[in-house]
């Protein structure tokens, strides 16, 4: 019983952070801030749901293979997500997308724009 | 492009085969044999991209313990703190942001260390690494930061990645 509560709590926490990230993606003022908010979904959102799923697979289903797969899904998201985020952010900047409100400090633009 | 070396192939093979064992999770002879063949093929093709420096650094126990300590203790704490911060901004109407791109110096020397630090920074909500540049022997990261509180340079670097860098230095240097 206690175990189910812990599992539900973990998944709920993950979903709350996913909700926060989604709200950020819809409401943030510019492209780069939206990307920052999306990181929320893919870190604590995924971590919470994966931990919950991991506990469920180990203690409720009693299946080692399912547990390992859940852990691998989490690990793979953690390894691949930053590479994608970095590439999208850099690509967006180089394609000429700028925030409407001027950024306070923009060293990248200073050093790499002609 | 560097050549394929035997230690690199062996090292890549071990990682691929461990991955295969975890994914299939069975000890039937057929599965094991097919896994070995596939892992060897993948290792032959990808060893030169996967391993650049010492081939067996991953299997050094001290570094392995340090790496585990980083990915299981230091990094999650920083990540949760940053997550709470960004989630608060999101629920607070998304107006409370002050974005900017800062340039911070980084002292890690090895390629792996720099890549791992860049990934750790990107995984922390609120900061995204946009470019790694080298000027006069010193490495600089260009980091998009959602709430710029300090000007570029050492101070901003400490605020963004101080603890992450300390943890990673024990793994790669």
């Amino acid at each position: 019983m206690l175990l189910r509560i812990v599992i539900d709590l973990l998944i709920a926490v993950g979903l709350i952070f996913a909700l926060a990230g989604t709200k950020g993606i819809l409401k943030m003022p510019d492209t780069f801030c939206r990307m920052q908010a999306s990181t929320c979904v893919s870190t604590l959102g995924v971590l919470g749901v994966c931990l919950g799923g991991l506990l469920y697979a180990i203690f409720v289903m009693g299946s080692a293979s399912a547990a390992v797969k859940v852990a691998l899904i989490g690990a793979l998201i953690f390894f691949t997500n930053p590479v994608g985020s970095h590439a999208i952010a850099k690509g967006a900047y180089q394609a000429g997308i700028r925030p409407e409100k001027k950024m306070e400090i923009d060293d990248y633009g200073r050093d790499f724009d002609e | 492009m560097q050549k394929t070396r035997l230690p690199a192939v062996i090292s890549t093979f071990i990682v691929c085969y461990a991955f295969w064992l975890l994914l299939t999770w069975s000890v039937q002879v057929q599965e094991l044999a097919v896994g070995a063949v596939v892992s060897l093929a993948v290792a032959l093709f990808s060893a030169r991209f996967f391993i650049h420096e010492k081939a067996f650094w991953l299997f050094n126990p001290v570094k392995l313990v340090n790496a585990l300590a980083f990915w299981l203790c230091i990094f999650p704490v920083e990540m949760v703190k940053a997550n709470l911060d960004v989630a608060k901004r999101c629920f607070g109407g998304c107006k409370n942001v002050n974005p900017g791109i800062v340039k911070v110096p980084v002292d890690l020397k090895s390629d792996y260390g720099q890549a791992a630090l860049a990934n750790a920074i990107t995984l922390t909500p609120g900061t995204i690494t946009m470019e790694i540049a080298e000027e006069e022997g010193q490495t600089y990261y260009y980091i998009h930061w959602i709430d710029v509180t300090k000007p570029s340079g050492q101070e901003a670097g400490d605020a963004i990645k101080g603890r992450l860098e300390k943890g990673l230095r024990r793994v790669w240097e």
Side-chain angles (χ1 to χ4, degrees), chain A residues 2-55:
Chain A
L2 184 69
L3 186 71
R4 284 308 292 263
I5 294 173
V6 170
I7 292 173
D8 290 352
L9 267 182
L10 278 172
I11 293 180
V13 167
L15 290 180
I16 286 171
F17 278 96
L19 180 69
T22 314
K23 183 165 187 240
I25 293 173
L26 294 173
K27 291 280 183 172
M28 281 285 181
D30 65 72
T31 311
F32 301 102
C33 292
R34 278 198 283 274
M35 293 204 52
Q36 303 282 18
S38 80
T39 320
C40 243
V41 183
S42 54
T43 53
L44 257 198
V46 167
L47 190 73
V49 174
C50 272
L51 273 183
L54 190 65
L55 290 180

